[in-house]
Each structure stands twice: as C-alpha cells, then as structure tokens.
Amino acid sequence: MADNKSYTIVEYFGGNSGYQCGYCKNSTGNFSHGMWSHTMTVQDYQDLIDRGWRRSGKYVYKPILNKTCCPQYTIRCRALKFQPTKSHKKVLKKMSKFLSSGDLPKDEGNKGESMVCDVAGPREPSLSCRSDAKCPSISDVQKESADCPTAAPGQGEQDVSAEPNSTKNDTSVPPTPASEPKPGTGADPNKPPCRKAKDIRKERRLQKDQKRQSSDGIAPTTKTPPSGPSLSIQAKSLEDFINESLSDSAAHGLEFRRFLCDSPLEAEYSDEGPEVGYGSFHQQYWLDGRIVAVGVIDILPSCVSSVYLYYDPNFAALSLGSYSALREIAFTRQLQKQSPKLCYYYLGFYIHSCPKMRYKGQYRPSDLLCPETFSWVAIERCAPKLDLTRYSRFNQDPDAGDARLLRDLGRAQVLYRRTVMPYAVYSRKRKGSSDEAEVKQYASLVGQDCAERILLYRS
C-alpha cells in the first residue's frame, strides 16, 4: 500500500442489547457490536472484515455469533478457481438471450420475486429494501440449491429409471398375471452402449466444424472425437459466458460504468495496486441508455467486497442480483492481473440457519471465517458442523488461537481533544476514568494490530 498519513477514526457503541432479527423475526434475538466510522483506510477495513466485521454505510458492525439467533459467518469466494454452476450458466445465458432477442423470460417475469433482506450485502435485492441491504430471490435460491454439491438425496436430479409405483408394492399380495412383467433378454450385445445426449451433441458439433473446415480448404485442427462417454471438451469459463459476442442485430445493448462513491473508505492509489485504485465504487448497469441496476463494491488490498445492489424491479426476471455477483467475480479476476494479492470476492455474511440464505455457499470454492481463530476454512468442512449446531468453531486444531489477540491495551490508540495518544497516556490524563472495560472490549474485537492503528474517539 502507498504510504500516507490517513487515519481510521471510529466511535464504539458496544452491543449489549438485542434487536429484531431480519431472518427468523425474533424481536430481541439479534446481537452485534457496532461502531461509527468517520473515516477509514482500506487496509484497516480489510483487517476488520477478516475479523468478522462488516460495514453498512458508515456503520461498521460485528455479529455476536455465539449469542445471536441467526449467526452470520463471513464468506469469501476464491475467485481465481471459481467455476459457474448450472444455475449460474442459466442466469448468464438468460441475459445473453434477452440482449439478443429483447424478450424478458415469460416464465419468471410475471411471477415477481419474493425477497429476504440481508443487511450484510446478499444478492437479489429490491428497491423496497433499505439502501444498505440486499435481498435474494427465493425462486433463484431454490433453483441454485438443487446444484449444490452438498444437497441431500432427493434434491436436484431424480432417477427416472426408478419404478414409479415401487413405494406401493406389498410383498404379501402377489401380482396378478396381467401385471407380471415379461422376462427380458437384457441389453443387445450387438448394439453400442448407451451414451448421453449431451456427448452426442458435442460430437456432432465437432464433426460439423471439421466438415466446414474441409470444405473451405482448411486442414482440420482436431481429430475425430472418440465415441463413448469418455469424450472430453474443455468447459467454458466465466469470462467466456460474459464476453460472448452478440450479433450486430442484437435487440439491446448493456453497458457498464464505474465511479468512486461516498463512503467512510479513503480512496487510495498504489503502484502495486489496481489501476482504478482502492475504495468504494458504484458499478452502474446501463441498458440502452437507461440505468437498470447499481452495485456498490469496496476494492480492498486482498479482495473485492460486495456491499449491496439495487435494481429496477421491471427487470427482476433477469436475476440481476446473481448476474451482478458473477460479473463482480470476473472483475475480481481482472483486478488480480494488476494486483496479485487481490484474489478474493467477499459476499458478505453466510447464514446457514436460514435455508433461504445458503445460496451464497454455491459460489465455490468458498471459505467461512472461523469465529474464534479468524482463520479461513473450506465451506465443505463447515457445513456438517452447522447442520448440528448454529454456532461452531471451524478450526479443528484445539491449540490454534487468535494470531492478533489483544495483549497490551496500553498501546491502543485513542483520539482525545484532537490529540492522538496511546490509551496508557490517556488513562493517566483521565484519572478516575471508568471506560477501561469498554475500551478493552473494543480493542479485543478489532485485534492488537488494528487497535494500534485505528483511532478510538474519546470525548
């Protein structure tokens, strides 16, 4: 990061009283610590979100996971290894089809979208939500959950070879002669084995390409693909789907614009960082000269962090929340080429106890933040623990601890009467001060390193 004299200045508010939960509607079950950020450096915010903090405007909060009714775990996607799922590909193809033909999907456009607010920046929001919240589409969540590798048996694809009436069979009642199945002879050994229609289509497509090249006098670049299910075609990447060129007669044109926006984060530039710099940005989505969606992102030293998104509800059928997340992952990969450290995409909070909010776990590979050691653990290892209990320590090493544990409260920095000083000096100036417990709680939550850099305002 570039050397500068910027400071992070915060006011701490504690977090002893509960308030209404936006997920289970418990009137007093949601607990979190909070502080108001007057100004904040991108490095400090990076360190804070890596300790479970999250911003909503200038308010920065940290859920009390072992106390709140619906624990919210910080989740990040390893953007460089991300591969779109079947549901993600459907969203991208749906957008491409809309831009080409100009027709909104009829099967979804008339249904509307049910929304669940998430103050941590989830996908699929509506304009009726608070400006610092995102709302996922329940219909999209149900579709994506079917593609989740951890889905329970019975979800996703069904086995069409199963007998439809097998659950009604009663071994005590012999079948009538008319219903007895005729003995079969099995598969015909003289015929080739069955193949998937998908593999057949791929083979035919390659053969057509080779014939076209031969007719144009061009030597084929590939050999005739082998028959059978072993046919292997390299999967299209996320960028292939997003950058798929449209014809000149496309019905619509989609344009993207990026602007710095107001937030507590100070805009910073570095020779080793991305060309756009660090800070908070508006990503605007323009359709034929009309703005249809705005996403707010924070570009930090190690990640792109999704804050929230709002969009025109007339285009809800396009799943703009999911579409914007995929574009932000692709943007993260683009920035990583300019700044090697910047390789993660943070989706906000993952709420396993709320089934409608588990969709974030489908942007894989992804990790959850251990609430005790603040180390990252693959979500596949965390989900079984969360199936058993809402709160869990993910790090399995019993000897592992917080690497940035508070060790010396006296070194924590405070801002008192426009003067920066260590807390040890401040406490001597304020003899009889009764705020030591509050300052210690704050410093423990932000960690030793942040406590020595961030200025805690004292009146």
Side-chain angles (χ1 to χ4, degrees), residues 81-132:
K81 296 184 178 180
F82 171 79
Q83 285 293 333
T85 65
K86 186 176 180 180
S87 294
H88 298 149
K89 292 175 184 178
K90 285 182 179 179
V91 171
L92 295 169
K93 290 178 180 178
K94 182 165 54 176
M95 175 63 77
S96 180
K97 183 178 180 180
F98 166 70
L99 295 176
S100 298
S101 66
D103 298 327
L104 284 170
K106 294 181 181 179
D107 57 336
E108 297 180 29
N110 297 328
K111 291 181 182 179
E113 291 186 314
S114 300
M115 304 296 173
V116 179
C117 291
D118 176 359
V119 296
R123 314 311 309 178
E124 300 294 353
S126 74
L127 294 176
S128 62
C129 294
R130 298 181 345 185
S131 61
D132 58 349

Side-chain angles (χ1 to χ4, degrees), residues 188-207:
D188 188 345
N190 297 321
K191 293 184 179 181
C194 295
R195 297 170 55 196
K196 291 184 178 179
K198 182 178 180 182
D199 293 333
I200 296 174
R201 289 195 298 269
K202 288 180 179 179
E203 182 177 343
R204 288 176 179 171
R205 194 180 304 118
L206 282 176
Q207 291 174 347

